Amino acid sequence: MMLNSYVPNRIRRYAFAGLAIGLLTPLAMYAGDSLAGVSSIQAALGGANLTISQMLATAASCLALLLAAAGFRHARLSRQLAGERARAETLHHAAYHDSLTGLRNRHALSEDAAALSGEAARKPVAVLLFDLDRFKLINDTLGHAAGDEVLKVLGARIAEACHPDQLVYRLGGDEFVVMWRDAPCEAAIGRFCTRLSTAVFRPVDFGQGALDTSGSIGIALSDAGSFRISDVLKRADLALYRAKETPGLSHSFFSEEMDNAYRIRRDLEADMRSGLSSGAFGVEYTPAYRSGTANYRSGLANPAMMRPSGFTARLTWRHPEHGVIRPESFMPVAEESGLILMIGKWMLGEVLLAAQSWSRTTEVVVPVSPAQLSEPGFSDLVLSMLTNTGIAPHRLVCDVCTSAIPESNVAALAAIARLRTAGVKIAVSEFSAGIAGLAMTRPHKVDRVRLDLAHMRAIAGEDRLGHMLGLFLQLAGVVDTVVTVTGVDTPEDLESARAAGATEVEGRIAGPALGKTEIAAMFSRREALLAS
């Protein structure tokens, strides 16, 4: 019993017992001979033959010692094998589980799905793809520790809310997957997703506060008689894309219409990439006019005599098959795919090169997307391009859609602040953002508000257009903000803007948009007239 307590390993107990036998047997022999009046030591020294009892005792001792040595060696090998087995189990767990959340990973999903392929021929399998909203923003603003905590907590919540037939995986980043064996009908799946979203997307405690979480779920079911996880995941991703178009917690099921839309979007992305390298993209410029510009008043009678004080750049794309495609049709795809970063960089370089031949007082307005502002090094890129082209910073106006830039987007706000410090002007175009900017509730300062006349007319109607525009311009004067009334295309538009007190208008009042060659020729003629 005492040996069991101190040596729990059975092999080592046998080894210790054999060692004890091997040591005690010769001692017992010598003690017996001494009692019989025979000195084994003297007999050995004198060359006398060993007694039979001595020979047997010696053999037993050697055998016991050999058994003890074998037992100790076996115990050592057992420890080594146990260590190797533990290391193998650790490696196997790491190969099939996510290190952060402990959930099964993409490799495990592939193997589990392969094992289910035969069963899925008889029973449907549903794949639920989770995606968190604004997760990159959490990482960028609060650090990866906050992002990791959100992922761990949400992963645990998903696993806790699922039953054994719903296997949970983390694919990487902020993507989680639930593979539901023997899935019920879509209505039941939809009810489950509603409950699951409510249970999972709750605030996560971090530091001294809580982080709000939200997300969407894309759902796809296996085809009858076949199940390939790559195909079902692709469909779930398309459904997730549709679900994310709905604000707040939402889920969406895959449909064939989504697949068709995906093919169109994929082809459009490929065409945009090739268009950048083939020269299919271009820039046209809409002129802007200030009240201080010469012939502004006479322009009412003869708009062609108006001289622009600046230009607004607008991207154009001449597709080899579909002809001219308007920016409203392809820019959303460019922003979603990330191509806006390449296109925006190309456009800015093109515009600044063109502006080299303009008057040194002529401004150029360039649209800038939130994705560009959030890109690390964007402000450095802009300032470097200004330096390389010799364009003064005050001539560049970045037109940003700040309704898509929350106060928590530290990177974008820092880029705006740095550009303004360097002298670059910041303008906003959307009506609601313009009101907020004049009300001084914006997270950053703006230098100009661009107000679309057609948008104002749609909101106020023709009868109240002048009154609303006049109130807006008065408020702008109080807070000392420049307002550019855009979309002034006809003499009637110009008269409405001037009657309301507009001092700067933009549009095609004096003709269609111009190309860079036409603008360069216009400034060359002006310089020639001044020189003569």
Side-chain angles (χ1 to χ4, degrees), residues 76-89:
R76 186 175 68 254
L77 291 176
S78 297
R79 289 195 303 273
Q80 292 177 349
L81 288 174
E84 292 295 333
R85 189 178 297 111
R87 283 190 289 272
E89 291 176 355

Side-chain angles (χ1 to χ4, degrees), residues 397-413:
V397 181
C398 291
D399 185 10
V400 303
C401 180
T402 52
S403 61
I405 303 175
E407 294 186 32
S408 54
N409 193 337
V410 177
L413 298 181

Side-chain angles (χ1 to χ4, degrees), residues 284-358:
E284 64 177 16
Y285 301 88
T286 304
Y289 308 93
R290 293 200 182 112
S291 60
T293 304
N295 297 321
Y296 179 86
R297 294 183 180 277
S298 62
L300 287 173
N302 185 7
M305 295 295 295
M306 300 177 67
R307 293 180 182 177
S309 59
F311 296 90
T312 294
R314 185 174 182 269
L315 192 66
T316 62
W317 181 19
R318 187 171 295 277
H319 194 277
E321 296 179 8
H322 306 295
V324 177
I325 301 179
R326 296 176 61 84
E328 295 81 4
S329 301
F330 66 84
M331 287 303 287
V333 177
E335 293 184 2
E336 293 160 7
S337 64
L339 284 173
I340 188 63
L341 301 177
M342 297 172 55
I343 294 175
K345 180 180 179 181
W346 174 87
M347 182 180 183
L348 181 61
E350 183 76 7
V351 168
L352 294 181
L353 286 174
Q356 288 178 320
S357 61
W358 303 354

Side-chain angles (χ1 to χ4, degrees), residues 85-123:
R85 189 178 297 111
R87 283 190 289 272
E89 291 176 355
T90 300
L91 291 175
H92 182 273
H93 187 275
Y96 286 87
H97 290 79
D98 174 52
S99 60
L100 178 64
T101 63
L103 298 174
R104 293 175 69 76
N105 59 16
R106 186 184 293 272
H107 184 55
L109 173 62
S110 299
E111 290 205 0
D112 293 345
L116 281 177
S117 59
E119 182 180 341
R122 303 183 305 274
K123 301 177 181 179

Side-chain angles (χ1 to χ4, degrees), residues 289-292 296 473 482-483 485 497 501-505:
Y289 308 93
R290 293 200 182 112
S291 60
Y296 179 86
L473 293 171
V482 176
V483 176
V485 180
T503 59
E504 182 168 283
V505 298

Side-chain angles (χ1 to χ4, degrees), residues 2 13 15 32 47 50 69 95-96 100 150 155 158 192 211 228 276 287 341 349 353 360-361 374 379 418 424 486 517:
M2 183 179 297
R13 288 202 302 272
L50 294 175
Y96 286 87
L100 178 64
V150 169
I158 296 173
F192 172 77
L211 304 176
R228 291 183 59 187
L276 275 175
L341 301 177
L353 286 174
R360 294 183 178 273
T361 60
S374 302
S379 57
R418 183 160 186 235
V424 177
T486 64
T517 305

Side-chain angles (χ1 to χ4, degrees), residues 453 457 488-497 509:
L453 193 63
R457 183 178 283 113
V488 180
D489 298 331
T490 66
E492 292 76 18
D493 291 338
L494 181 60
E495 180 59 33
S496 298
I509 179 64

